[in-house]
Amino acid sequence: MTVPARLDGASQHIGYGPLWTCEQCALPWPCPAFREAGASAQMLGGLLYMAHCALRDLRHVPPVEVVRRFLFPLDGLSDVDARRITLNLLRSRIPVPDRPRTSHVPMRPLWRCSACRRDWPCEPARRSLADEFDGDRASLLVHLGAMLAHAGDQLHQIGQRPSPAALDRRFLSWARAVPQTASPGLRTP
């Protein structure tokens, strides 16, 4: 994870479960670098770790606001640095601890899966959505079309500009192949 230069020291030496090894130096955490850092750097490292976890739980709050909230000691954190930290935390392939990895829902604004960090909808999310809509392909496509519109707007806001064709392939193409039941409105419970 890349953080601004003034966040050096212990803040880059964070350990994650289940192995609890340092992300920076791969030693058992708390690693020597974290132990030798000053208390303020250790506190900042802990707050950075908590911000990473909070991004998962506070999905209704804009991610940059979550990072600013948890990195409160950095009063002068610029918008650029806050956005960079947020994107690095969201892009991290390190799993967020203490959460069952079965909920494959989108992390906004990156539109990556909260469980496997792949582009959403990932394969498990696609299976789940197909099961949820139970052969009602038209409703599934309407739902995914709305999600595509949100994703396009949010990805554009963070500087990513996927082509409309790429978004169509990602959100809709797979759903067009979902088998349609004969009469989805007449399903029995």
Side-chain angles (χ1 to χ4, degrees), residues 126 129-131 133-137 140 144 172-181:
R126 291 176 180 187
L129 286 164
D131 289 345
F133 283 89
D134 192 28
D136 187 357
R137 186 179 340 134
L140 174 61
L144 288 170
L172 301 174
S173 292
W174 69 270
R176 291 183 187 110
V178 170
Q180 175 77 33
T181 57

Side-chain angles (χ1 to χ4, degrees), residues 9-60:
S11 64
Q12 293 183 20
H13 291 270
I14 302 297
Y16 291 94
L19 298 177
W20 288 98
T21 57
C22 174
E23 180 185 44
Q24 188 73 20
C25 60
L27 295 173
W29 195 85
C31 65
F34 185 86
R35 290 173 185 262
E36 292 170 7
S40 62
Q42 290 171 343
M43 183 187 81
L44 193 55
L47 291 173
L48 192 61
Y49 169 80
M50 287 188 278
H52 187 199
C53 295
L55 286 169
R56 169 201 66 205
D57 298 325
L58 300 174
R59 289 190 183 114
H60 61 284

Side-chain angles (χ1 to χ4, degrees), residues 27-98:
L27 295 173
W29 195 85
C31 65
F34 185 86
R35 290 173 185 262
E36 292 170 7
S40 62
Q42 290 171 343
M43 183 187 81
L44 193 55
L47 291 173
L48 192 61
Y49 169 80
M50 287 188 278
H52 187 199
C53 295
L55 286 169
R56 169 201 66 205
D57 298 325
L58 300 174
R59 289 190 183 114
H60 61 284
V61 178
V64 172
E65 287 182 29
V66 172
V67 168
R68 284 188 179 281
R69 176 175 158 186
F70 279 80
L71 297 182
F72 64 90
L74 301 175
D75 289 331
L77 188 63
S78 72
D79 289 339
V80 171
D81 285 345
R83 183 171 286 124
R84 185 178 301 126
I85 292 168
T86 301
L87 289 175
N88 286 331
L89 289 173
L90 291 172
R91 288 177 180 153
S92 173
R93 294 215 177 256
I94 298 170
V96 177
D98 303 324

Side-chain angles (χ1 to χ4, degrees), residues 88-174:
N88 286 331
L89 289 173
L90 291 172
R91 288 177 180 153
S92 173
R93 294 215 177 256
I94 298 170
V96 177
D98 303 324
R99 173 67 72 142
R101 302 201 36 126
T102 57
S103 181
H104 291 266
V105 295
M107 289 188 315
R108 301 172 189 209
L110 285 179
W111 286 86
R112 291 192 180 252
C113 176
S114 62
C116 63
R117 303 288 200 247
R118 294 187 188 114
D119 284 344
W120 192 90
C122 60
E123 197 57 42
R126 291 176 180 187
R127 286 192 302 269
S128 176
L129 286 164
D131 289 345
E132 180 181 337
F133 283 89
D134 192 28
D136 187 357
R137 186 179 340 134
S139 294
L140 174 61
L141 287 168
V142 167
H143 173 74
L144 288 170
M147 300 298 269
L148 181 150
H150 289 296
D153 289 344
Q154 290 179 345
L155 289 169
H156 180 77
Q157 288 173 1
I158 63 170
Q160 296 182 11
R161 292 180 174 59
S163 72
L167 287 174
D168 181 80
R169 281 190 303 275
R170 179 173 164 184
F171 282 86
L172 301 174
S173 292
W174 69 270

